[in-house]
Amino acid sequence: MLIILVAAAASLANPLAPGAHVPIAASGSPNFSLAASAAVASADGATISGRVCRLARSTLMSPQRLRLERVGADSAVAETAEVSLPILSTRVEQRCARYAARVAWRLMTDESLRLCFDRGQPCPAASTGHRESP
């Protein structure tokens, strides 16, 4: 008699330690940038903060939301969240605004985050912009 055992592959990744920086890639647009994005793990999730800036003097409406994606080691999007943005003024001296968000995702060492303006579509896989390393 031949017995074959099949075991499910378990992730070898460990949870990120509280205070650890989470790798994050941010994508802006031709008219707005996502600057100084940072993500820090905590015991019960992660905090993401940064700023969004108007790149050129324009009368375009400012984006209302960001899309935050939790990306696994296999590059698949595991979860998404929306981050509300403050309204950006069209005045030159007030072209940037800060944002902050908190998610209750228990992030693993082999996971990362992607951040982009929410247009009802996934963030670009090859996000450009600021990237934090753990």
Side-chain angles (χ1 to χ4, degrees):
M1 174 188 262
L2 178 62
I3 299 175
I4 300 173
L5 297 176
V6 178
S11 174
L12 299 176
N14 294 313
L16 280 171
H21 286 270
V22 181
I24 185 168
S27 293
S29 73
N31 296 302
F32 298 93
S33 70
L34 290 177
S37 297
V40 179
S42 65
D44 59 350
T47 301
I48 298 89
S49 63
R51 58 187 188 146
V52 59
C53 295
R54 187 178 296 277
L55 292 176
R57 187 159 176 83
S58 73
T59 57
L60 291 175
M61 289 179 56
S62 61
Q64 295 179 335
R65 291 181 307 277
L66 297 175
R67 176 183 173 101
L68 179 64
E69 298 177 341
R70 179 181 183 179
V71 182
D74 60 356
S75 298
V77 175
E79 294 184 81
T80 63
E82 289 182 354
V83 178
S84 294
L85 289 173
I87 295 173
L88 291 172
S89 171
T90 55
R91 296 171 53 174
V92 173
E93 69 276 6
Q94 295 177 342
R95 63 185 192 98
C96 295
R98 299 198 62 74
Y99 64 87
R102 182 152 181 68
V103 290
W105 300 337
R106 180 72 185 223
L107 296 167
M108 306 303 275
T109 55
D110 63 351
E111 294 181 316
S112 63
L113 299 174
R114 277 196 301 245
L115 187 67
C116 64
F117 294 114
D118 189 1
R119 296 182 179 96
Q121 300 175 12
C123 292
S127 292
T128 58
H130 181 75
R131 183 161 177 91
E132 287 267 344
S133 299

